[in-house]
DNA sequence: TGGAATATATGCGCAGATCGCAACAAAATC
DNA sequence: GATTTTGTTGCGATCTGCGCATATATTCCA
């Protein structure tokens, strides 16, 4: 037979308020209903929980034993359900967002600020990781959403393009190229290039795009992170080819960011979620916010 | 709207077993029923808890959050209800018995032994107290049952007479009266009497019975407990008038217990419970056991 | 590419649970 | 002894939850 939560809840309220009528009023049902719930519960258990005359209600010995347990169960239950209803009603709760470090520094602060306006109580657990790890995190549900770079399409991922992030040329003001409006790939054949590790999506993407066009460059230095590359540029070690978003105008005095053309090579920044998985309301709200404010019309992500 | 325990339980089992069919089998219902329970729960909460294709069932982010809480609630609930059903089914559990010390030493060991045969797992919490305290304990539900001495009838107590406990004369073998088959109250006018404190029911009862008959005795010593009185008798300090049950034949070498007649004065040992209160099954079993093995036909407890 | 197998969802109808109303019964109060 | 208060019971209406049969979706495998 099935466990009768209503009966137990009725028991707790009656015991607490000391009477069927008071409890009935409190629970917005008739007192009749409570009488029957208790009768049903007692007959199910084979025990009396309440000794009741027409005048007084009093706990039996068993009822006294059971009351504290019942109270705990009922309050835990109502609290847990209440939390869930809050989540659905007000999109409350927290969720995990996986994000590549560049974007975490670039667009995320603004997004988080906007999100905080509509959902001030929500927390975003940020998982900063490489583009591959972002995909994995979303696929394995470690994160509900991801912000990464478009790579190989995965059938279980839904990607929303956010914006294009062209590769640009970074150098010091002292560099001869620094005054040009734009530079071409062939311009940098002799440069001391700082490139990021070929374990990063940016590098793989860049190599792929260049190989496709028969351009080959020599990398003098290889670093792990975009931020390191920028620092090296600032320190005068060399020049770098990095996504535009790595750098905000004015971030680093003395460092110039120059468009790189012929061809313009762009990586696509995407918002990603798992297909066939339901987002928590908190994540859903973020997803919609990002799509609304930054999403482009879904388009083919082939280059050029 | 009412909280749906079944739905939550279904959720837990489905999540745990990884499928509706397995869960349905485990719970001895059809898979249809579970589908509906989850649908109802989800629509009540306004949240999806399970992402399910016709092939796989998988927790949503919210479901993953909720599962551990739900598991705890469900297991606490089923455990608590299980304990209660055990109580009713097998009269399991413990209860509190208030008992005067004399009887705790006299009949209780046997009763407890008998009770342990039928209900070996049950524990009796023993509250040893004066006869007044026994009544109070039962009236205030600190104890479900009491073993005491009949005094003033209380409308909220149900008393079952167990046996009569006549006052007897206790002395050493060296005492001149020790060889008599019985002694009368007048026989002990000159004796060095040890009496128990007038705070005890025995003393009050004795005084009342004697006053009624115009007999007056002088008490040379006054002690708190029957056991002390016996010890003093054994030590040769004097003689005592005590309930017969204080003493088992052979308990104390050198001490004689002699019937006290003209008149025979008896206190009534009673089993007592509260009127209009339901006993726990464990207490009920004890109550029935005692009534069956020691109860006399309910009779007027007036003396003589 | 198209069944076979497997797993969840749905239409439908029945049985029982639950509720509210009204009347009743018992205990306390005045 | 009437009145008030409070729990219980009879009854009818409604709602809930279930199972059966069937539909639908997905995967597997030939």
């Amino acid at each position: 037979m099935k466990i009768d939560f209503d009966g137990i809840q009725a028991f707790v309220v009656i015991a607490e308020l000391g009477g069927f009528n008071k409890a009935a009023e409190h629970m917005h049902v008739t007192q009749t209903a409570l009488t029957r719930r208790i009768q049903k519960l007692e007959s199910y258990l084979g025990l009396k929980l309440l000794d009741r005359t027409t005048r007084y209600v009093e706990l039996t010995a068993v009822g006294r034993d059971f009351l504290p347990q019942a109270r705990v169960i009922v309050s835990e239950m109502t609290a847990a359900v209440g939390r869930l209803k809050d989540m659905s009603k007000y999109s409350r709760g927290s969720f995990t967002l996986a994000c590549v470090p560049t974007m975490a520094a670039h667009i995320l602060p603004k997004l988080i600020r906007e999100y905080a306006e509509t959902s001030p109580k929500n927390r975003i657990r940020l998982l900063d990781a490489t583009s591959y790890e972002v995909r994995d995190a979303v696929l394995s549900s470690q994160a509900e959403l991801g912000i990464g770079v478009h790579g190989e399409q995965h059938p279980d991922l839904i990607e929303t393009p956010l914006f294009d992030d062209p590769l640009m040329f970074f150098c010091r003001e002292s560099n001869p190229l620094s005054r040009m409006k734009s530079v071409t790939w062939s311009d940098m054949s002799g440069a001391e290039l700082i490139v990021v590790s070929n374990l990063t999506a940016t590098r793989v993407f860049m190599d792929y795009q260049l190989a496709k066009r028969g351009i080959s460059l020599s990398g003098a230095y290889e670093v792990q992170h975009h931020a390191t590359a920028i620092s090296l540029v600032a320190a005068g070690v060399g020049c770098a080819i990095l996504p535009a978003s790595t750098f905000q105008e004015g971030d680093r005095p003395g460092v110039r960011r120059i468009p790189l053309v012929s061809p313009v090579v762009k990586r696509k920044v995407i918002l990603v979620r798992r297909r066939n998985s339901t987002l928590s309301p908190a994540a859903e709200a973020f997803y919609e916010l990002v799509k609304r404010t930054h999403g482009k019309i879904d388009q083919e992500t082939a280059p050029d």
Side-chain angles (χ1 to χ4, degrees), chain A residues 163-223:
Chain A
F163 58 88
D164 290 339
D165 195 12
L167 291 183
M168 291 198 176
F169 178 67
F170 289 74
C171 64
R172 299 209 68 190
E173 288 170 349
S174 54
N175 189 292
L177 294 171
S178 74
R179 296 198 203 110
M180 301 184 68
K181 280 281 178 224
S182 66
V183 299
T184 66
W185 291 88
S186 21
D187 289 339
M188 59 204 57
S189 39
E192 287 282 279
L193 268 189
I194 300 160
V195 295
V196 292
S197 155
N198 61 0
L199 296 174
T200 67
T202 298
R203 170 69 180 282
V204 170
F205 176 72
M206 180 174 125
D207 286 352
Y208 169 71
Q209 297 292 345
L210 294 177
K212 218 165 98 178
R213 291 171 178 77
I215 304 170
S216 94
L217 295 175
S218 64
Y221 303 94
E222 183 170 303
V223 299

Side-chain angles (χ1 to χ4, degrees), chain A residues 96-98 127 130-147 152-159 270 272-279:
Chain A
T96 303
L97 170 69
L127 198 70
T130 69
S131 200
Y132 303 110
E133 289 167 343
V134 166
R135 289 164 58 99
D136 281 352
V138 173
L139 279 170
S140 66
S141 295
Q142 287 166 55
E144 290 191 71
L145 297 175
I147 291 177
E152 199 183 336
Q153 197 87 26
H154 190 288
D156 284 351
L157 290 178
I158 300 174
E159 300 186 350
I270 55 169
V272 59
R273 56 172 291 188
R274 266 187 74 201
R275 194 180 300 280
N276 298 326
S277 91
T278 307
L279 296 176

Side-chain angles (χ1 to χ4, degrees), chain A residues 43-291:
Chain A
S43 90
Y44 167 59
L45 294 173
L47 292 167
K48 296 256 317 229
L49 294 173
L50 297 168
D51 274 324
R52 38 202 193 278
T53 66
T54 57
R55 204 65 189 171
Y56 291 126
V57 173
E58 196 176 20
L59 289 164
T60 62
V62 173
R64 251 191 310 280
D65 264 16
F66 183 52
L67 180 59
Q69 304 169 42
R71 213 197 316 258
V72 168
I73 291 171
V74 168
S75 74
E76 277 179 3
M77 176 67 110
T78 50
V81 169
R83 278 193 298 275
L84 288 180
K85 296 203 79 169
D86 261 17
M87 286 177 66
S88 98
K89 207 165 175 183
Y90 310 108
S91 300
R92 288 252 169 85
S94 51
F95 69 98
T96 303
L97 170 69
C99 186
V100 292
T102 336
M103 291 304 131
H106 183 244
I107 51 166
L108 211 51
K110 181 161 145 268
L111 290 175
I112 289 177
R113 226 174 300 122
E114 286 171 20
Y115 184 62
E117 279 173 30
T118 58
S119 312
K121 294 198 173 180
N122 293 6
R123 291 278 169 274
I124 299 176
R125 289 182 293 267
L126 193 62
L127 198 70
D128 76 322
T130 69
S131 200
Y132 303 110
E133 289 167 343
V134 166
R135 289 164 58 99
D136 281 352
V138 173
L139 279 170
S140 66
S141 295
Q142 287 166 55
E144 290 191 71
L145 297 175
I147 291 177
V149 175
H150 174 77
E152 199 183 336
Q153 197 87 26
H154 190 288
D156 284 351
L157 290 178
I158 300 174
E159 300 186 350
T160 305
L162 295 182
F163 58 88
D164 290 339
D165 195 12
L167 291 183
M168 291 198 176
F169 178 67
F170 289 74
C171 64
R172 299 209 68 190
E173 288 170 349
S174 54
N175 189 292
L177 294 171
S178 74
R179 296 198 203 110
M180 301 184 68
K181 280 281 178 224
S182 66
V183 299
T184 66
W185 291 88
S186 21
D187 289 339
M188 59 204 57
S189 39
E192 287 282 279
L193 268 189
I194 300 160
V195 295
V196 292
S197 155
N198 61 0
L199 296 174
T200 67
T202 298
R203 170 69 180 282
V204 170
F205 176 72
M206 180 174 125
D207 286 352
Y208 169 71
Q209 297 292 345
L210 294 177
K212 218 165 98 178
R213 291 171 178 77
I215 304 170
S216 94
L217 295 175
S218 64
Y221 303 94
E222 183 170 303
V223 299
Q224 301 303 312
H225 299 293
H226 295 171
T228 314
I230 291 274
S231 297
L232 291 180
V233 171
V237 174
C239 319
I241 294 176
L242 295 169
S245 67
T246 310
F247 180 86
Q248 306 280 54
E249 219 40 85
D251 265 5
R252 296 274 194 159
V255 175
R256 282 282 166 80
R257 186 182 68 180
I258 301 163
L260 188 53
V261 299
S262 307
V264 172
V265 173
K266 320 175 212 175
R267 64 177 194 173
K268 314 268 181 185
V269 176
I270 55 169
L271 174 64
V272 59
R273 56 172 291 188
R274 266 187 74 201
R275 194 180 300 280
N276 298 326
S277 91
T278 307
L279 296 176
S280 68
E284 181 73 33
F286 186 82
Y287 187 69
E288 292 303 324
L289 170 74
V290 175
K291 281 216 305 195

